[in-house]
Amino acid sequence: MATIYEVSKLAGVSLATVSRVLNNNTPVREATRLKVMEAVDKLGYHPNSVAQSLASKRSNSIGIVVSELNGPFFGTLLSDIEAAFRRAGKHVIIAAGHSDEKLEKESIEFLQSRNCDALILHVEAVTDEFLTELAAKDIPFVLLNRFVDGLSDRCVTLNNQHGGYLATNYLLSHGHQRIGYISGPMWKHDAEQRYFGHLRALAQHNVNPQERLFYEGDYHEEGGAAGLHALLKADPAITAVVCANDEMAAGAITSAREAGLSLPGDLSIVGFDNVNFSHYMFPKLTTVDYPIGSMGMMASRWVLKNVYQQKLDDIQTVFEPRIIERESVARPRVTAQ
Amino acid sequence: MATIYEVSKLAGVSLATVSRVLNNNTPVREATRLKVMEAVDKLGYHPNSVAQSLASKRSNSIGIVVSELNGPFFGTLLSDIEAAFRRAGKHVIIAAGHSDEKLEKESIEFLQSRNCDALILHVEAVTDEFLTELAAKDIPFVLLNRFVDGLSDRCVTLNNQHGGYLATNYLLSHGHQRIGYISGPMWKHDAEQRYFGHLRALAQHNVNPQERLFYEGDYHEEGGAAGLHALLKADPAITAVVCANDEMAAGAITSAREAGLSLPGDLSIVGFDNVNFSHYMFPKLTTVDYPIGSMGMMASRWVLKNVYQQKLDDIQTVFEPRIIERESVARPRVTAQ
DNA sequence: TTGTACGCGTTATCAA
DNA sequence: TTGATAACGCGTACAA
């Protein structure tokens, strides 16, 4: 690999001048610029990014922590983030936190040790205090799908509560009254918020929430399956179920079919997230759209603007969900009493 | 951030000694090692990985090129690769090639410019010649799902032909004779191989392949939907279809239902890949398992062994697919003539 | 077993 | 507008 030194020798100028034309940050006479460029071409010179990083104290790398690398959800997130940074000549280092406090911390430390210029974090298990302390350190970061007091300007969140409201409201406005709710783990902020939204919709329609119509699942297929089973047992007369994410909706659908129900005739189901396989399901799932791709892009813009000083418009920090109507909801056979 | 220099001062030893205890590659007296460790703790010292890279000419980073970041397929691949390298203290830089020759080349160049120690490539559009030339350069790489003559030891592949054979053979042994085939783009090696396997199974059962029963799709849902539509038009009497991947199977299922067919009674379907949502489909998809996770891990091992000199067992380069029986295949209503 | 001194390939600060 | 030259933080011959 040719170095900047060889370029300077071939072009007959100093190291500094070569560096200048490469980064064109200082005026250089056109003639000398051409000489340098020619030498660069001739030698097939590419700057060594490691040396650049050491000298400039910029690694041009952004660390990302997500819960899982597989799964439909993070795929679209990572895809949009990678594209945004690639265009800016930055690269992305990815680590999985697995929704586990210890692993999330390790991931963050790992990324710090890699001298990332910034971090984009989708962490669930780590405490607010930890994040507040982290904010005092030197690596800036954005939080995805999480709101922490005092860090509001770096939180890119979904209005989860409104999402929960939309799901249940959709069902109510289709005539359902006995609505089961399969939640995510309630220690997760988004699960809690979605449930609050559900309660708000219920209240608005003067429907009393009932404990037996609530099931706390795990955000996975199994939890959805088990949840529907439990709900049906608790109240065989339910006409609809909202699942706090699409994977649980998939499990619920399987479970409902095993119970001999026809969908959506006997039971309507609404999901949450609108992951990319939700329309592969049968019936195609009516769900709440989580614009995770846009949110990832916004997080990238935050970094580009605040860390790399790009001039960009203001950052949108709160995103609104919307209902995606497909085929998993029908009016109930008889209006529940 | 504390540097090695401050540690050496606090511990009262030289720079070199600190470096030695950190990398424990040279014998150091226990007493001095302790002094150093203490100083490290007291200062909260973490080595600067950029400086390490520059001095050692090792970036401890591995570049990965995949077609897409989203999608179920690459998620599980990346997940296993990341885990393998994390354990070894390496990190992974990811780039998307989008099955496009220009973008794939750019991704590779991008990763090279990042001084990756090795590359793991899942590239489709780039030519064999390009890869052969690349092999002559200084960054070692492994190829995933692709076989190139002369680079056989660094190719980790699936026996795609056998997979195609298995899919069709499964159908044939269930009594099907009129079997449609929805292929991936035939310029892709795996699509071609899977089709060859299909033909081999047909021949073995003395069934003549018919051109009208073949449709070249795009490996996406749309192609599957269009393919089934076309196949049904060409021969309404087909009793089964094999789809060269699961996403096309999803499209085919939708299309079949729109045509009023009941599944699997009227039409049996077999997919390929066994992506993670294939059992969310209805009927749950019978498909050919592509052990992409294991293959990713094997590629990681290749790198660990050949680039980082870890002592590991031999590398398995060819993986065998197997059929996953679920619920999308039934015996045909009447045996086709 | 330990220390000295140089090299890794750039960027950035001063002078000129 | 250009050129020396000192960082940047660490690894590693070589010498002691």
Side-chain angles (χ1 to χ4, degrees):
Chain A
M1 263 304 168
T3 72
I4 197 175
Y5 180 72
E6 303 172 38
V7 174
S8 84
K9 214 166 55 175
L10 183 58
V13 298
S14 74
L15 281 187
T17 302
V18 177
S19 177
R20 282 175 191 125
V21 347
L22 260 30
N23 301 304
N24 58 238
N25 43 17
T26 317
V28 172
R29 188 189 302 158
E30 189 57 21
T32 60
R33 132 174 269 105
L34 287 177
K35 274 194 303 187
V36 171
M37 294 305 273
E38 199 177 346
V40 164
D41 281 352
K42 192 167 292 174
L43 291 171
Y45 167 80
H46 285 284
N48 179 320
S49 67
V50 174
Q52 285 181 318
S53 295
L54 185 60
S56 67
K57 296 174 161 296
R58 274 268 141 95
S59 65
N60 290 312
S61 69
I62 297 93
I64 319 281
V65 177
V66 293
S67 300
E68 311 291 341
L69 258 33
N70 49 1
F73 190 77
F74 294 109
T76 71
L77 172 63
L78 296 177
S79 184
D80 284 359
I81 291 182
E82 192 262 350
F85 284 125
R86 238 334 240 305
R87 275 195 294 277
K90 319 292 179 193
H91 75 262
V92 151
I93 300 178
I94 293 174
H98 298 287
S99 304
D100 176 273
E101 182 166 9
K102 183 151 167 283
L103 292 177
E104 287 182 351
K105 284 187 182 175
E106 282 177 11
S107 294
I108 293 173
E109 278 174 29
F110 180 76
L111 261 16
Q112 287 177 312
S113 80
R114 250 55 193 176
N115 296 76
C116 292
D117 296 335
L119 264 30
I120 295 179
L121 306 178
H122 186 292
V123 288
E124 307 183 293
V126 122
T127 65
D128 282 9
E129 291 71 49
F130 176 82
L131 292 169
T132 307
E133 284 172 29
L134 190 64
K137 306 226 171 107
D138 41 359
I139 300 186
F141 63 87
V142 204
L143 249 27
L144 227 35
N145 192 37
R146 174 145 181 183
F147 185 85
V148 175
D149 268 331
L151 305 178
S152 57
D153 57 315
R154 19 166 125 184
C155 294
V156 176
T157 58
L158 178 74
N159 189 337
N160 276 296
Q161 188 181 134
H162 188 58
Y165 170 85
L166 286 176
T168 300
N169 184 64
Y170 184 80
L171 253 14
L172 288 161
S173 64
H174 276 68
H176 294 275
Q177 300 261 69
R178 287 204 176 179
I179 302 174
Y181 189 89
I182 303 180
S183 169
M186 289 296 272
W187 65 265
K188 294 194 182 185
H189 301 51
D190 52 4
E192 191 185 46
Q193 289 299 314
R194 290 172 189 191
Y195 181 59
F196 287 166
H198 167 72
L199 292 181
R200 187 156 59 82
L202 250 31
Q204 200 178 74
H205 289 251
N206 299 310
V207 176
N208 279 329
Q210 301 189 30
E211 190 154 354
R212 59 185 183 144
L213 293 186
F214 173 86
Y215 179 90
E216 180 171 344
D218 56 2
Y219 271 155
H220 296 301
E221 193 184 6
E222 299 75 32
L228 192 80
H229 190 75
L231 255 26
L232 243 26
K233 197 165 164 186
D235 182 354
I238 55 172
T239 62
V241 170
V242 2
C243 300
N245 79 349
D246 291 347
E247 300 196 44
M248 292 198 299
I253 284 176
T254 302
S255 208
R257 252 195 211 107
E258 284 169 5
L261 300 179
S262 103
L263 306 176
D266 295 331
L267 188 72
S268 291
I269 296 188
V270 177
F272 202 117
D273 282 352
N274 189 27
V275 298
N276 56 14
F277 65 74
S278 59
H279 70 288
Y280 289 161
M281 290 159 51
F282 183 74
K284 290 180 192 297
L285 189 68
T286 292
T287 188
V288 176
D289 185 50
Y290 187 148
I292 183 65
S294 312
M295 289 171 60
M297 288 213 43
M298 198 50 75
S300 310
R301 292 169 65 86
W302 188 96
V303 172
L304 258 14
K305 179 173 184 172
N306 292 287
V307 178
Y308 296 114
Q309 277 78 37
Q310 287 196 7
K311 303 199 188 320
L312 293 169
D313 302 340
D314 276 352
I315 302 301
Q316 178 185 357
T317 54
V318 181
F319 283 70
E320 293 298 330
R322 65 200 170 87
I323 195 95
I324 305 287
E325 293 193 60
R326 284 198 276 250
E327 299 160 9
S328 65
V329 173
R331 300 193 75 83
R333 291 256 154 83
V334 290
T335 302
Q337 192 48 299
Chain B
M1 263 302 166
T3 73
I4 198 174
Y5 179 73
E6 304 173 38
V7 174
S8 84
K9 214 165 57 175
L10 183 58
V13 298
S14 76
L15 283 186
T17 303
V18 177
S19 177
R20 281 171 192 130
V21 348
L22 260 29
N23 301 303
N24 57 235
N25 43 15
T26 318
V28 173
R29 188 188 303 158
E30 190 56 22
T32 60
R33 133 174 270 104
L34 287 177
K35 274 195 302 187
V36 171
M37 295 305 274
E38 198 176 348
V40 165
D41 281 353
K42 193 166 290 173
L43 293 171
Y45 167 80
H46 285 284
N48 179 319
S49 66
V50 175
Q52 284 181 318
S53 295
L54 187 60
S56 67
K57 295 176 161 295
R58 274 269 141 96
S59 65
N60 289 312
S61 70
I62 297 93
I64 319 281
V65 177
V66 293
S67 300
E68 310 291 341
L69 258 33
N70 49 1
F73 189 77
F74 294 109
T76 70
L77 172 64
L78 295 177
S79 184
D80 284 359
I81 291 182
E82 192 262 350
F85 285 124
R86 234 342 234 304
R87 276 195 295 276
K90 318 291 177 194
H91 74 264
V92 151
I93 302 179
I94 294 174
H98 298 287
S99 303
D100 176 274
E101 182 167 8
K102 183 151 167 284
L103 292 177
E104 287 182 352
K105 283 187 183 174
E106 281 177 12
S107 294
I108 292 173
E109 277 173 29
F110 179 76
L111 261 14
Q112 286 177 312
S113 80
R114 249 54 192 176
N115 296 74
C116 293
D117 296 335
L119 265 29
I120 295 179
L121 306 177
H122 186 293
V123 288
E124 308 183 292
V126 121
T127 64
D128 283 8
E129 290 71 49
F130 176 83
L131 292 169
T132 306
E133 285 172 28
L134 190 64
K137 306 222 173 110
D138 40 0
I139 299 186
F141 63 87
V142 204
L143 250 26
L144 228 34
N145 192 38
R146 175 148 181 180
F147 185 85
V148 175
D149 269 330
L151 305 178
S152 57
D153 57 315
R154 17 167 126 185
C155 294
V156 175
T157 58
L158 179 73
N159 189 339
N160 276 295
Q161 188 181 132
H162 188 57
Y165 170 84
L166 286 176
T168 301
N169 183 64
Y170 185 79
L171 252 16
L172 288 162
S173 64
H174 276 68
H176 294 275
Q177 300 261 69
R178 288 204 175 180
I179 302 174
Y181 189 89
I182 302 181
S183 169
M186 288 296 272
W187 65 266
K188 296 195 182 184
H189 302 49
D190 53 3
E192 191 184 48
Q193 289 299 314
R194 289 172 190 192
Y195 181 58
F196 286 166
H198 167 71
L199 292 181
R200 188 156 58 82
L202 250 31
Q204 200 177 76
H205 288 251
N206 298 311
V207 176
N208 279 330
Q210 302 190 30
E211 191 156 351
R212 60 187 182 145
L213 294 186
F214 173 85
Y215 180 89
E216 181 171 343
D218 56 2
Y219 272 156
H220 296 302
E221 193 184 5
E222 299 75 32
L228 192 82
H229 190 73
L231 254 25
L232 242 27
K233 197 165 164 187
D235 183 354
I238 54 171
T239 62
V241 169
V242 0
C243 299
N245 79 348
D246 291 347
E247 301 196 45
M248 292 199 299
I253 284 177
T254 303
S255 208
R257 255 197 208 104
E258 283 169 6
L261 300 179
S262 104
L263 305 177
D266 295 332
L267 188 72
S268 292
I269 296 188
V270 176
F272 202 119
D273 281 353
N274 189 27
V275 299
N276 56 14
F277 65 73
S278 59
H279 70 288
Y280 289 161
M281 290 159 51
F282 183 73
K284 291 180 193 298
L285 190 67
T286 292
T287 188
V288 175
D289 185 50
Y290 186 149
I292 183 65
S294 312
M295 288 171 59
M297 289 212 44
M298 198 50 74
S300 311
R301 292 169 66 85
W302 188 95
V303 172
L304 258 14
K305 178 173 184 172
N306 292 288
V307 178
Y308 296 114
Q309 278 77 38
Q310 286 195 9
K311 301 196 189 323
L312 293 170
D313 301 341
D314 276 351
I315 303 301
Q316 177 184 358
T317 54
V318 180
F319 284 70
E320 293 298 329
R322 65 200 170 88
I323 194 97
I324 305 287
E325 293 194 60
R326 285 199 276 250
E327 300 161 9
S328 65
V329 173
R331 300 194 74 83
R333 290 257 155 81
V334 288
T335 301
Q337 192 48 299

